[in-house]
């Protein structure tokens, strides 16, 4: 991500004016943009990694000269998140990068931001206001593809658990709906327990243990983030290992590798915390004029990873070019997201960026290739105020999984 000094000065010169930007720019008159990161639900490994990578980019040239960066943690209270966002707008923010707690409750504050020229970018979770910019993988098919994978492994029949995320968020809502659209096609599939574990491995373990006590004859588990704790629960309960689908925690990918001969099968998919850094880069591309406002979709799709149990390969976290899609547990914590590297979109980060928020030594920000920006479908109640749901919203990706016939 290298931009020469001359290119940077040219970029700044063509940047659109903003009444919100600080006037005390860096040496040489470099434009200074006031950027806020607002975290809602925080404290889990995914949220920490996402925030750390955004902070690492803010310290990477030329952003380190262009950005006045502020981080706010609003917590899981929608009213507080709205209040915090209003304070950011009133303080002269140029852009706000935010994980939203609700797809609709923030629409009013988005309108307030738009009225003052503040760009609001939401990552992973989404809002329905047409004035917001959503950057998310939630329309890329996690729910239906992972559900179909589980159905296939069970031969189309069996009792299952659903370990869901943070109730009320757009991410959780669409994943659950997508998964259930698949399960409904197979009369032999019975969801005997659904619980919400806030995308947390410890809560997932606790809730799965409770579900196992009530339903010890479960045959498979569909899980959002927290799947590492789900497998731990099976082990602690002395339950036989069964198919478990999940997201991309380093521990889960190691479990798929080391416990396969004991019966564990599954697929690692889901959300990469790198999506937050990508949203930040898109916001900066818009502010600096590299991308024109009419050319940036209000819904941008982040790619969906797909790593079945038989494709897990251990690599070196400090040497991503060497390959591998999971890391040794003595080097990387089990709850840390293994899939952070997206060199086509965010090549400026590494493992240290995700763990500690440090910029990569010698790295500079590379412009985003416009051909890599994928427009996401508009989905009512999720990322759009449209009334019509795309007919193929929950279609399967045949490169990932193909449906079996119902028995």
């Amino acid at each position: 991500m290298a931009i020469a000094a001359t290119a940077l000065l040219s970029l700044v010169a063509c940047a659109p004016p903003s009444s919100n930007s600080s006037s005390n720019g860096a040496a040489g008159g470099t434009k200074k943009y006031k950027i806020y990161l607002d975290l809602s639900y925080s404290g889990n490994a995914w949220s920490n990694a996402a925030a750390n990578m955004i902070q690492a980019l803010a310290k990477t040239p030329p952003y380190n000269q262009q950005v006045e960066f502020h981080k706010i943690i609003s917590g899981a209270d929608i009213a507080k998140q709205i209040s915090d966002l209003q304070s950011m707008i009133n303080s002269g923010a140029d852009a706000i990068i935010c994980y939203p707690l609700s797809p609709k409750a923030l629409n009013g504050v988005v309108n307030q931001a738009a009225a003052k020229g503040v760009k609001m970018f939401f990552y992973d979770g989404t809002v329905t206001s047409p004035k917001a910019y959503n950057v998310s993988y939630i329309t890329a098919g996690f729910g239906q593809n992972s559900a179909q994978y589980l159905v296939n492994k069970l031969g189309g029949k069996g009792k299952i658990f659903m370990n869901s995320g943070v109730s009320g968020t757009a991410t959780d809502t669409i994943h659950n709906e997508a998964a259930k659209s698949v399960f409904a096609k197979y009369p032999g599939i019975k969801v005997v327990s659904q619980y919400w574990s806030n995308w947390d491995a410890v809560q997932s373990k606790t809730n799965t243990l409770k579900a196992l006590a009530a339903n010890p004859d479960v045959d498979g588990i569909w899980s959002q983030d927290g799947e590492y704790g789900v497998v731990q629960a099976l082990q602690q309960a002395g339950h036989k290992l069964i198919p478990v689908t999940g997201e991309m925690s380093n521990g889960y990918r190691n479990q798929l590798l080391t416990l396969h001969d004991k019966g564990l099968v599954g697929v690692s998919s889901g959300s990469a915390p790198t999506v937050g850094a990508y949203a930040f880069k898109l916001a900066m591309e818009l502010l600096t004029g590299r991308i024109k406002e009419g050319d940036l979709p209000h819904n941008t799709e982040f790619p969906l990873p797909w790593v079945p149990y038989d494709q897990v390969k251990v690599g070196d976290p400090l040497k991503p070019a060497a390959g591998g899609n999971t890391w040794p547990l003595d080097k990387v914590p089990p709850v840390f997201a293994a899939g952070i590297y997206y060199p086509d979109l965010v090549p400026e980060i590494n493992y240290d960026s995700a763990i500690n928020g440090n910029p990569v030594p010698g790295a500079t920000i590379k412009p985003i290739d416009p051909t890599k920006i994928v427009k996401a479908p508009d989905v009512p109640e999720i990322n759009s105020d449209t009334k019509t749901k795309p007919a193929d919203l929950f279609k399967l990706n045949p490169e990932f999984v193909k449906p079996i016939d119902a028995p």
Side-chain angles (χ1 to χ4, degrees), residues 326-381:
T326 195
W327 299 323
L329 292 176
D330 61 349
K331 293 184 178 180
V332 178
V335 294
F336 184 78
I340 66 166
Y341 290 112
Y342 289 80
D344 287 345
L345 304 177
V346 191
E348 306 92 342
I349 55 91
N350 63 8
Y351 168 72
D352 187 43
S353 304
I355 289 291
N356 300 310
N358 294 326
V360 176
T364 53
I365 301 294
K366 288 188 180 297
I368 293 174
D369 180 351
T371 66
K372 302 292 185 182
I373 299 174
V374 177
K375 184 186 183 307
D378 297 334
V379 185
E381 309 295 320

Side-chain angles (χ1 to χ4, degrees), residues 153-167:
K153 290 302 177 184
L154 296 177
K157 57 184 178 180
K159 297 179 179 180
I160 65 172
F161 296 162
M162 292 182 67
N163 179 41
S164 297
V166 176
S167 180

Side-chain angles (χ1 to χ4, degrees), residues 136-223:
S136 177
Y137 80 112
I138 63 175
T139 57
F142 167 78
Q144 66 267 31
N145 286 290
S146 58
Q148 187 66 58
Y149 185 95
L150 179 61
V151 167
N152 290 3
K153 290 302 177 184
L154 296 177
K157 57 184 178 180
K159 297 179 179 180
I160 65 172
F161 296 162
M162 292 182 67
N163 179 41
S164 297
V166 176
S167 180
T169 60
T171 306
D172 181 68
T173 299
I174 195 170
H175 288 346
N176 292 331
E177 186 177 347
K180 289 179 178 179
S181 74
V182 171
F183 297 146
K185 298 175 183 178
Y186 296 86
I189 295 292
K190 307 295 182 183
V191 180
V192 295
S193 182
Q194 182 178 10
Y195 41 91
W196 281 260
S197 302
N198 296 320
W199 300 315
D200 180 81
V202 175
Q203 293 182 50
S204 295
K205 179 180 178 180
T206 299
N207 291 336
T208 302
L209 284 169
K210 292 178 180 177
L212 286 170
N215 302 278
D217 55 346
V218 65
D219 300 297
I221 303 175
W222 176 89
S223 180

Side-chain angles (χ1 to χ4, degrees), residues 18-282:
S18 170
S19 60
N20 296 322
S21 297
S22 304
S23 59
N24 58 338
T30 299
K31 181 76 171 180
K32 201 82 167 178
Y33 296 98
K34 197 171 188 177
I35 308 294
Y36 282 90
L37 167 62
D38 181 68
L39 298 176
S40 52
Y41 186 80
S42 63
N44 65 9
W46 190 98
S47 296
N48 291 342
N52 288 340
M53 283 187 277
I54 293 171
Q55 292 177 93
L57 288 188
K59 301 172 186 176
T60 302
Y63 288 178
N64 63 332
Q65 295 294 315
Q66 292 178 309
V67 171
E68 178 188 329
F69 185 78
H70 303 269
K71 173 183 169 183
I72 303 294
I73 299 177
S74 294
D77 183 334
I78 292 178
K80 186 176 187 308
Q81 185 170 48
I82 291 173
S83 177
D84 286 345
L85 292 172
Q86 289 172 331
S87 295
M88 297 172 203
I89 294 167
N90 293 331
S91 74
D94 287 290
I96 299 171
I97 317 301
C98 175
Y99 192 105
L101 282 168
S102 166
K104 287 186 174 182
L106 302 184
N107 285 347
V109 76
V110 171
N111 292 337
Q112 295 171 25
K116 291 194 174 185
V118 182
K119 309 301 182 187
M120 293 201 68
F121 279 74
F122 297 93
Y123 65 93
D124 197 61
T126 55
V127 301
T128 58
S129 170
K131 297 178 181 179
Y133 291 93
N134 295 308
V135 184
S136 177
Y137 80 112
I138 63 175
T139 57
F142 167 78
Q144 66 267 31
N145 286 290
S146 58
Q148 187 66 58
Y149 185 95
L150 179 61
V151 167
N152 290 3
K153 290 302 177 184
L154 296 177
K157 57 184 178 180
K159 297 179 179 180
I160 65 172
F161 296 162
M162 292 182 67
N163 179 41
S164 297
V166 176
S167 180
T169 60
T171 306
D172 181 68
T173 299
I174 195 170
H175 288 346
N176 292 331
E177 186 177 347
K180 289 179 178 179
S181 74
V182 171
F183 297 146
K185 298 175 183 178
Y186 296 86
I189 295 292
K190 307 295 182 183
V191 180
V192 295
S193 182
Q194 182 178 10
Y195 41 91
W196 281 260
S197 302
N198 296 320
W199 300 315
D200 180 81
V202 175
Q203 293 182 50
S204 295
K205 179 180 178 180
T206 299
N207 291 336
T208 302
L209 284 169
K210 292 178 180 177
L212 286 170
N215 302 278
D217 55 346
V218 65
D219 300 297
I221 303 175
W222 176 89
S223 180
Q224 296 183 40
D225 197 11
E227 68 287 336
Y228 175 67
V230 169
V231 177
Q232 285 184 313
L234 290 170
Q235 293 176 298
Q236 181 172 318
H239 196 284
K240 69 176 182 178
L241 292 179
I242 55 179
V244 176
T245 63
E247 298 206 25
M248 58 167 63
S249 67
N250 190 48
Y252 174 60
R253 288 191 178 177
N254 272 272
Q255 288 169 331
L256 291 175
L257 185 64
T258 61
L259 298 176
H260 170 57
D261 59 351
K262 297 181 180 179
L264 180 66
V265 297
V267 63
S268 172
S269 186
S271 177
T274 317
V275 66
Y278 185 46
F280 179 31
K281 285 189 66 176
L282 286 172

